[in-house]
Amino acid sequence: MEDATSSNPQSLGFTDKLKSWLSWSWTYICAVWFAMVLTMIYVLRSPLKLQDTLTSASVFLNTLTPKFYVALTGTSSLISGLILIFEWWYFRKYGTSFIEQVSVSHLRPLLGGVESSSTTGLFSSVNGEAEPRPSVSECKVWRNPLNLFRGAEYSRYTWVTGKEPLTYYDMNLSAQDHQTFFTGDTQQIKAEDTVMQKAWRERNPQARIRAAYQAIEMNHECAAAYVLLAEEEATTITEAERLFKQALRSGKREQRVQDPVTSLRPLTLNINLLVYIKRRLAMCARKLGRIKEAVKMMRDLMKEFPLLGMLNIHENLLEALLELQAYADVQAVLAKYDDISLPKSATICYTSALLKARAVSEKFSPEAASRRGLSTAEMNAVEAIHRAVEFNPHVPKYLLEMKSLILPPEHILKRGDSEAVAYAFFHLQHWKRAEGALNLLHCTWEGTFRIIPYPLEKGHLFYPYPGCTETADRELLPTFHEVSVYPKKELPFFILFTAGLCSFTAMLAMLTHQFPELMGVFVKAFFSTLFTPLGFFADKMESFMPSSFWHQLTRI
């Protein structure tokens, strides 16, 4: 038994060697086969009447007028130009080449190609063995903690500009969130809840508002209906705050009426609704200038519901504390949430960088730093900026106003352009308030890309940058916004190839039209030069083999 098991690795090693030898020799076997085919064609040229065919073809080509060649090259230029336009449009919209995608997706499996995705998710350990890499939900979409109010803010933008700031995909995600948190599956659902479930799914804002009033007619204490009216019908923050306060009173009354023992309606839904209302009330207070009141409401909410960290209420708190310029309190919040075991965000990383940059930015000078070197505090600030830029490389262009801002979406993709828009929209003013912070960011942020030259393959402080952010951001951000793409994609080969082909054929058409005789001489010289090696090879074959051998072989 031991002998059998010991001989097994030897047999496996022999099989692997045989397979590797076959794969290595396959290239040369194909080359030999190709050479044999050419040889057989040359040998059988007389039975196949290849010489006569070539002669008749050359006579036919010589009888063609220059107009035919002009039409041929012009048509080729037109077709390649149309392909180029389509490829460029497809690349701008989807970020990839259509021809390349079709060849990889459809032609490669037919030709027996093997996808290289079998090794994704693995990386080599020290001893060379493949180990599983931790799975990361790269393109999970999150609720924007600082999302605006539809009626009081998003609708105003639409009234002024005529543009829709929210995409249907974004609003559909919000509808799903509201259905999950405010209604959900219950054993005994009320009539007003059924109306509100339909209301969240309505695409037309006016239909949603009518459904909310219908739910209030059924039950004057329907808190979810007041929430919808505050979000979508209220045209000012003051009016939205009034409706949210009404929703809070209705939710508390409904919670007191329900018996925790006998009620079939889960109390978790009321808790989710109450947390949402209190959070929006705190945001109303922040927008109306009552910042200390907003901070107190957010702290109470986090203390009352410590397990609801997924709602990211601490990001609202950080923004309000920065407005108060309470930097010590901001540092205390970061010390709790900027932990290696907790998920990061642009707010966490860039706020940490802002605090460190603020300590040195007022006296920072690039010329002085290049002469004397960076101090310890300056080095810490630069490292914090590099860390933030690695997490989300899209933010600096918005903070430095190299790219125009738009209203943030209701959902964001972490490390994506949507998160960068949401962060810069609310935090640009805090960076401007710290004197010299933007100057330090301007001088140092591009150095991050030298640390991670291949961000899609290997990261420095975080996981490699996900490659699917562009597609998700295009769904979340409006069409009039130019989505920031990282890393910048190079033009696909087929776009360059079709561009070169179009230019070359257009030049040939123009030259043939202007100088037909000269181009005819040039084409004859080109083809004679091209077929010179073949003639030389045929002469050598004739001199190497006797003519009687070829005669007997053709008779066979």
Side-chain angles (χ1 to χ4, degrees), residues 139-164:
C139 288
K140 180 181 178 182
V141 177
W142 298 75
R143 181 83 176 177
N144 183 5
L146 298 167
N147 64 307
L148 304 177
F149 294 87
R150 286 192 188 177
E153 292 170 308
Y154 287 120
S155 295
R156 283 190 174 188
Y157 180 83
T158 304
W159 296 338
V160 173
T161 64
K163 298 178 181 178
E164 288 292 340

Side-chain angles (χ1 to χ4, degrees), residues 30 50 60 71 75 95 102 104 160 200 226 232 238 265 296 333 368 382 393 436 493 533 553:
C30 291
L50 294 179
F60 172 75
T75 306
V102 169
V104 171
V160 173
W200 297 122
Y226 288 109
E232 305 210 16
T238 305
R265 182 181 174 87
K296 183 180 182 302
V333 176
V382 171
F493 166 76
L553 189 61

Side-chain angles (χ1 to χ4, degrees), residues 314 334-345 414 462:
H314 60 274
L334 287 177
K336 181 178 180 182
Y337 289 96
D338 193 6
D339 187 79
I340 192 172
S341 61
L342 297 176
K344 298 292 182 293
S345 66
K414 288 192 175 183
F462 300 99

Side-chain angles (χ1 to χ4, degrees), residues 322-523:
L322 286 172
E323 182 63 24
L324 288 175
Q325 300 185 40
Y327 296 110
D329 294 335
V330 173
Q331 186 62 55
V333 176
L334 287 177
K336 181 178 180 182
Y337 289 96
D338 193 6
D339 187 79
I340 192 172
S341 61
L342 297 176
K344 298 292 182 293
S345 66
T347 301
I348 294 291
C349 295
Y350 277 90
T351 303
S352 177
L354 173 61
L355 293 187
K356 293 181 179 179
R358 175 180 166 273
V360 299
S361 60
E362 189 174 354
K363 299 180 180 179
F364 177 78
S365 171
E367 295 79 10
S370 62
R371 288 196 306 268
R372 58 174 170 78
L374 296 175
S375 63
T376 303
E378 290 173 340
M379 184 64 71
N380 291 336
V382 171
E383 289 177 355
I385 290 175
H386 287 178
R387 171 178 177 260
V389 174
E390 181 184 353
F391 182 82
N392 194 318
H394 309 283
V395 173
K397 287 189 176 181
Y398 293 107
L399 293 180
L400 298 173
E401 297 181 275
M402 300 165 62
K403 201 171 180 202
S404 59
L405 271 174
I406 60 171
L407 296 186
E410 293 184 338
H411 289 79
I412 59 173
L413 179 68
K414 288 192 175 183
R415 308 187 75 177
D417 190 35
S418 52
E419 184 190 35
V421 169
Y423 173 79
F425 184 85
F426 293 100
H427 288 262
L428 176 58
Q429 55 181 332
H430 307 315
W431 279 82
K432 287 183 175 180
R433 189 179 293 122
E435 186 177 351
L438 289 175
N439 178 42
L440 180 60
L441 178 68
H442 174 72
C443 296
T444 57
W445 73 280
E446 291 181 332
T448 311
F449 307 126
R450 291 192 291 270
I451 303 175
I452 43 174
Y454 304 103
L456 297 179
E457 301 173 8
K458 185 180 180 182
H460 179 58
L461 298 174
F462 300 99
Y463 286 111
Y465 191 81
C468 60
T469 56
E470 180 185 358
T471 305
D473 280 330
R474 290 186 188 279
E475 295 286 339
L476 291 171
L477 296 170
T479 53
F480 59 82
H481 173 71
E482 184 181 354
V483 176
S484 177
V485 179
Y486 173 78
K488 279 292 183 183
K489 293 184 178 179
E490 297 180 356
L491 288 177
F493 166 76
F494 288 104
I495 289 183
L496 300 176
F497 176 76
T498 51
L501 182 63
C502 178
S503 304
F504 179 71
T505 51
M507 182 183 67
L508 285 181
M510 183 183 65
L511 292 176
T512 306
H513 178 71
Q514 293 291 331
F515 312 102
E517 297 180 358
L518 183 62
M519 287 300 295
V521 173
F522 173 77
V523 169

Side-chain angles (χ1 to χ4, degrees), residues 14 68 78 90 97 216 233 259 348 366 385 394 460 546 554:
F14 175 76
F68 170 80
L78 176 63
Y90 195 87
S97 167
I216 292 175
E233 189 186 36
D259 185 359
I348 294 291
I385 290 175
H394 309 283
H460 179 58
T554 52

Side-chain angles (χ1 to χ4, degrees), residues 106-120:
H106 302 285
L107 299 181
R108 188 174 180 182
L110 294 177
L111 298 175
V114 180
E115 295 289 339
S116 60
S117 60
S118 59
T119 57
T120 56

